[in-house]
Amino acid sequence: PIIETEAKQGDSKAYNFPRDMIGSHNYHFSFSGFKTAVSREIKKIKKINRRVKSNLAASIQEAIVDVLVSKSINAINEYKPKSILLSGGVAANIRLREKMKEAIEKNHMLIDLHMPSTKLCTDNGAVIASYAYFNNHPVGWKDIKASAQLINY
């Protein structure tokens, strides 16, 4: 979580990145336009020092979290689930966890928010890759050795 680590030292209001997807009435989470906006902003910066990196990280993180939380709250309002689960690699982000909890409380939502321990929030790509590997190399479940390292050198 390098963005989260850098963001702790930064100002989330230093850069005003777009949150266009908040206004869309769907649950698509493509950040391609956002990445373009970030790239353009970085190209404008003459000297990238530690402070600039931290401010960029904080601003990027805040914009992404705002979109994820807003769309999640909209989905909760529309579909009225009894619970919601933050999962995958993004669920390890502390700012996302804080803002999701705050939004649910602020909107007086009677919903259970489930957030696994951050050490259990792995990248979904890793899960898919492991499935693909074991699908082509069957191993009995008792013989699988769990490791926090994906690759041992």
Side-chain angles (χ1 to χ4, degrees):
I2 193 157
I3 289 179
E4 182 177 37
T5 302
E6 281 293 326
K8 288 178 184 175
Q9 315 304 315
D11 175 6
S12 63
K13 293 179 175 56
Y15 299 93
N16 187 20
F17 290 117
R19 290 155 170 82
D20 297 341
M21 288 189 300
I22 287 177
S24 66
H25 298 288
N26 61 48
Y27 302 113
H28 299 236
F29 290 94
S30 170
F31 287 93
S32 59
F34 176 78
K35 291 185 285 187
T36 301
V38 170
S39 177
R40 287 182 181 152
E41 191 63 41
I42 290 171
K43 287 176 183 173
K44 289 189 229 173
I45 301 169
K46 296 187 186 331
K47 183 179 179 189
I48 298 180
N49 56 32
R50 180 69 178 201
R51 189 182 107 261
V52 169
K53 282 183 186 178
S54 295
N55 287 344
L56 279 167
S59 299
I60 290 166
Q61 175 180 259
E62 200 68 12
I64 292 170
V65 166
D66 285 350
V67 170
L68 294 175
V69 170
S70 177
K71 285 193 168 265
S72 297
I73 295 300
N74 289 345
I76 291 167
N77 283 328
E78 182 174 345
Y79 294 105
K80 312 277 189 254
K82 293 179 183 175
S83 63
I84 187 167
L85 169 67
L86 287 183
S87 63
V90 71
N93 184 279
I94 300 303
R95 185 67 178 143
L96 174 60
R97 290 167 168 261
E98 292 169 350
K99 287 195 86 168
M100 183 65 79
K101 186 176 177 189
E102 289 169 8
I104 288 171
E105 289 170 359
K106 178 183 170 192
N107 289 284
H108 308 288
M109 297 177 147
L110 300 174
I111 186 169
D112 292 327
L113 173 61
H114 301 282
M115 299 183 287
S117 163
T118 56
K119 67 182 177 183
L120 298 176
C121 297
T122 59
D123 186 338
N124 292 337
V127 174
I128 293 167
S130 67
Y131 172 79
Y133 175 82
F134 287 112
N135 190 45
N136 290 316
H137 302 92
V139 174
W141 68 269
K142 290 181 181 178
D143 298 324
I144 297 174
K145 305 284 187 269
S147 171
Q149 302 298 320
L150 292 179
I151 300 173
N152 292 325
Y153 292 100

